[in-house]
């Protein structure tokens, strides 16, 4: 950690460079990755509209495929918490997404399936964002694009494999949390607690069937879904945390780790404040230093 860093200046620097935050909350530095530039050609396999009828922008489940063997396969393994850069030939600026799948989820032994949760972005003039527009609308199955897998060491499980996990996120941030739940289901270990927020339960309960199955199977000891537009007081995940301070303290006392994934402004800031209120800022900072408070926010 770096002491005395201007967090606002760092945020502006991250935004200017298009960097996702990879480090812990205190101070929240994006750790540079030393791996070389290794771009591969991925194929759009399929996509599914996840929130039809939503008051918000459409969200899609997008699957990209890489070969499991051959000349391109040397870099196509990853872990829960890792990220992928994608770009188009017409726009060389890469966009970064958190992976929602694990390498062994492909239906075919010849491919690796990379699952993304992508919200369609629109500009003020109504045109679609370059990358989200291609992934969710313009591209057809079989179309290809350059892709680069990247390890996101500060959002991996690492030393927390034998710890319960408090997973907190909103919207498309569910991608990174779902990957951790898949890994926990596969490896076993202590159960998790997921707090997830979106707009309406009728349209925006992303991955509902899978989340409820994890709850029923015991992978999730607790599932809290917060839908802000279904109540007059507009609750968000940070409000659910604030109302669950005793439970948060109990989980942390039992050595749990906290993972936050989703929007930095609003959600992640509010969650950080709620956790500090429940645990104390010094305790929260210590958890971050010890790898028990990790964030993938953007």
């Amino acid at each position: 950690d770096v002491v005395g860093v201007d967090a606002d200046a760092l945020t502006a620097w991250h935004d200017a460079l298009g960097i996702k935050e990879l480090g812990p909350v205190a101070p929240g530095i994006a750790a540079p990755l030393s791996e070389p530039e290794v771009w591969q050609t991925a194929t759009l396999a399929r996509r599914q509209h996840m929130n039809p009828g939503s008051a918000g922008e459409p969200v899609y489940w997008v699957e990209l495929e890489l070969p499991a063997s051959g000349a391109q396969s040397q870099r196509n393994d990853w872990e829960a918490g890792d990220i992928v850069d994608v770009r188009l030939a017409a726009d060389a600026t890469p966009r970064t997404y958190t992976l929602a799948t694990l390498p062994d989820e492909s239906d075919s032994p010849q491919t690796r399936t990379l699952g993304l949760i992508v919200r369609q972005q629109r500009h003020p003039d109504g045109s679609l964002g370059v990358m989200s527009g291609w992934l969710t609308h313009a591209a057809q199955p079989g179309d290809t694009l350059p892709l680069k897998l990247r390890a996101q060491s500060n959002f991996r499980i690492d030393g927390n494999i034998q710890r319960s996990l408090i997973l907190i996120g909103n919207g498309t941030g569910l991608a990174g949390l779902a990957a951790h739940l898949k890994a926990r289901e596969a490896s076993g270990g202590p159960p998790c607690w997921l707090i997830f927020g979106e707009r309406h339960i009728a349209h925006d309960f992303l991955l509902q069937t899978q989340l409820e199955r994890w709850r029923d199977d015991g992978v999730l000891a607790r599932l809290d879904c917060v839908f802000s537009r279904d109540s007059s007081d507009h609750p968000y995940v940070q409000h659910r945390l604030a109302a669950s301070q005793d439970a948060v303290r109990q989980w942390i006392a039992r050595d749990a780790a906290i993972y936050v994934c989703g929007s930095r402004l609003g959600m992640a800031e509010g969650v950080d404040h709620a956790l500090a209120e429940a645990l104390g800022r010094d305790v929260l900072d210590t958890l971050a230093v010890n790898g028990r408070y990790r964030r993938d926010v953007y």
Side-chain angles (χ1 to χ4, degrees), residues 3-169:
V3 179
V5 175
D6 186 329
D8 291 336
L10 279 171
T11 296
W13 178 66
H14 294 171
D15 291 342
L17 295 180
I19 297 175
K20 290 178 59 169
E21 177 188 299
L22 305 184
V25 171
I29 290 180
L33 297 172
S34 59
E35 61 192 38
E37 294 279 313
V38 180
W39 289 89
Q40 305 184 56
T41 300
T43 302
L44 177 66
R46 62 187 63 86
R47 64 172 168 246
Q48 179 183 355
H49 191 184
M50 301 180 74
N51 64 340
S54 174
E57 296 292 350
V59 174
Y60 286 83
W61 175 262
V62 176
E63 290 185 4
L64 304 174
E65 288 185 347
L66 288 174
S69 61
Q72 291 196 68
S73 65
Q74 74 274 21
R75 304 288 299 191
N76 66 3
D77 284 326
W78 64 92
E79 297 180 20
D82 286 349
I83 55 181
V84 63
D85 292 336
V86 291
R87 59 181 172 85
L88 300 177
D91 179 19
T93 303
R95 271 67 167 182
T96 303
Y97 295 93
T98 305
L99 290 162
T101 52
L102 302 179
D104 61 357
E105 289 189 55
S106 176
D107 294 333
S108 167
Q110 283 76 46
T111 60
R112 292 279 192 265
T113 299
L114 296 87
L116 313 177
I117 300 178
V118 181
R119 190 180 301 277
Q120 198 175 81
Q121 302 293 327
R122 286 192 179 274
H123 299 300
D125 64 1
S127 63
L128 293 176
V130 173
M131 196 70 250
S132 70
W134 191 89
L135 289 170
T136 66
H137 177 72
Q140 299 302 311
D143 289 350
T144 61
L145 80 167
L147 172 152
K148 180 180 68 173
L149 288 160
R150 286 201 286 146
Q152 187 173 211
S153 58
N154 252 357
F155 204 64
R156 287 182 170 184
I157 289 295
D158 294 335
N160 294 323
I161 193 168
Q162 294 301 324
R163 291 187 168 103
S164 292
L165 306 177
I166 303 175
L167 306 171
I168 307 165

Side-chain angles (χ1 to χ4, degrees), residues 149-226:
L149 288 160
R150 286 201 286 146
Q152 187 173 211
S153 58
N154 252 357
F155 204 64
R156 287 182 170 184
I157 289 295
D158 294 335
N160 294 323
I161 193 168
Q162 294 301 324
R163 291 187 168 103
S164 292
L165 306 177
I166 303 175
L167 306 171
I168 307 165
N170 69 333
T172 59
L174 185 58
L177 306 180
H180 281 307
L181 286 167
K182 291 175 181 181
R184 181 55 53 96
E185 179 181 37
S187 67
C192 305
W193 172 11
L194 174 65
I195 306 174
F196 170 68
E198 251 291 353
R199 289 178 174 84
H200 294 286
I201 190 172
H203 305 291
D204 303 299
F205 198 161
L206 308 181
L207 301 182
Q208 178 179 0
T209 299
Q210 193 162 33
L211 294 180
E212 291 178 341
R213 180 178 62 79
W214 279 326
R215 179 196 60 199
D216 295 342
D217 291 348
V219 177
L220 281 171
R222 179 168 172 176
L223 173 60
D224 286 283
C225 294
V226 185

